[in-house]
Amino acid sequence: MKKNRLRELLTEGRATFGTRVLTPWPGIIEVIGHSGAFDYIEYLGENSPFSLETLDNIGRAIELFPNMSAMIKVEEQTRGFIATRAIGAGIPNILFTDCRSADDVRECIRLVRAETPISGGTHGSNNRRNVGYVMEGGSEAWARAMDDVVIAFMIEKKGAVENLEEILSIEGYDMVQFGPNDYAISIGKPGQGKTEEVQQTQKYVIEQALKKGKAPRVELDSIEQAKPYIEMGVRHFCIGIDLRVIYRWCQSQTEVIKELRNSI
């Protein structure tokens, strides 16, 4: 089974840098991999259309780059199905959305971990890509790999913030990330994710995560925005989204094209 680069970096106590993709074409993964810039890609499965074959092809593309791993962002509904199929496809790290309580978090962890007496999960043997289909299904190596899956949670609901201390005290997962837009909606203030009130809540989540030994991760549009978070103690960042990069480049050409059009 392929090594999980993100797990290795977390175990070594090193900073991590990822980037997000909405485009399910595996060629995008290859282009990112050839750059050598990122430790992992996060596939935004919550927001992108995909099939099970898509997940397999993302897994194949990731395996071209030994020093790059992958994560999938999983929506609330059918999250157990999507998470286990993504892991089986070769996407070895999971970001769960929409948890509101400590029990929600515990259930997500169980969905990922192997169903052994020690791991206490519900994830059983299967013959999928990550085990070579017929070679390592249900093996000891597979069970260890399920324990090595990096599990992250979005703290983006009012309930999750209210139950933050209990959630951060749970063993068996690695990272948390604040979601300002969903949080603003959940407190009855849609569209106010950038307000001082919401940003102070993000600061609170980061500070509490650091105290409890959970790694806070922050999404940024560019690495230049990282400095204040680094000063807070954040060492894990996910930078940019493929379609937003394309959109902003197109926007940057608007005036140039307008001027050229008028001059012809």
Side-chain angles (χ1 to χ4, degrees), residues 2-243:
K2 184 180 184 292
K3 68 179 183 178
N4 186 345
R5 180 59 175 160
L6 182 55
R7 169 57 67 197
E8 289 180 339
L9 291 170
L10 289 177
T11 300
E12 294 167 4
R14 298 172 63 184
T16 65
F17 298 90
T19 189
R20 294 166 285 168
V21 298
L22 279 158
T23 307
W25 180 46
I28 293 291
I29 309 301
E30 292 187 49
V31 169
I32 294 169
H34 285 307
S35 75
F38 296 101
D39 302 310
Y40 67 100
I41 64 98
E42 177 193 332
Y43 178 57
L44 294 172
E46 180 192 28
N47 303 312
S48 177
F50 62 87
S51 66
L52 297 181
E53 289 83 2
T54 301
L55 299 181
D56 279 354
N57 286 330
I58 290 174
R60 291 184 178 100
I62 287 294
E63 288 179 4
L64 297 173
F65 305 96
N67 291 319
M68 189 170 74
S69 189
M71 173 183 284
I72 184 170
K73 189 176 186 181
V74 175
E75 61 198 278
E76 178 181 6
Q77 299 301 322
T78 66
R79 57 191 174 197
F81 172 76
I82 295 172
T84 54
R85 292 307 297 255
I87 293 168
I91 302 173
N93 306 298
I94 307 294
L95 172 60
F96 286 105
T97 67
D98 301 316
C99 288
R100 297 168 179 83
S101 69
D103 284 343
D104 288 345
V105 169
R106 293 187 185 99
E107 175 60 19
C108 289
I109 296 169
R110 284 193 292 268
L111 291 170
V112 169
R113 302 306 183 203
E115 192 168 354
T116 69
I118 294 176
S119 298
T122 60
H123 196 166
S125 173
N126 56 72
N127 296 319
R128 297 174 184 157
R129 275 204 72 257
N130 64 333
V131 294
Y133 299 105
V134 296
M135 292 189 292
E136 293 184 88
S139 66
E140 184 177 350
W142 171 84
R144 286 198 305 269
M146 295 310 97
D147 286 339
D148 282 343
V149 172
V150 173
I151 301 177
F153 288 98
M154 295 298 301
I155 303 297
E156 58 185 352
K157 301 296 183 182
K158 181 174 181 285
V161 173
E162 290 174 343
N163 295 296
L164 186 62
E165 183 175 355
E166 185 179 3
I167 287 172
L168 292 174
S169 298
I170 295 170
E171 299 295 329
Y173 75 95
D174 306 278
M175 308 176 88
V176 293
Q177 177 178 307
F178 183 69
N181 292 330
D182 270 298
Y183 178 72
I185 292 170
S186 75
I187 62 172
K189 299 180 179 181
Q192 298 185 39
K194 295 183 179 180
T195 62
E196 179 65 19
E197 176 187 0
V198 174
Q199 292 304 305
Q200 284 300 313
T201 303
Q202 180 181 40
K203 182 180 179 183
Y204 167 73
V205 170
I206 290 171
E207 289 173 345
Q208 294 306 305
L210 289 168
K211 287 180 182 178
K212 290 287 190 176
K214 294 293 191 292
R217 191 188 82 151
V218 174
E219 289 182 358
L220 303 173
D221 285 333
S222 68
I223 194 63
E224 288 76 18
Q225 299 169 339
K227 184 177 178 180
Y229 297 104
I230 293 172
E231 291 173 349
M232 291 178 64
V234 177
R235 297 293 181 267
H236 307 282
F237 299 94
C238 203
I239 306 158
I241 303 175
D242 55 350
L243 295 191

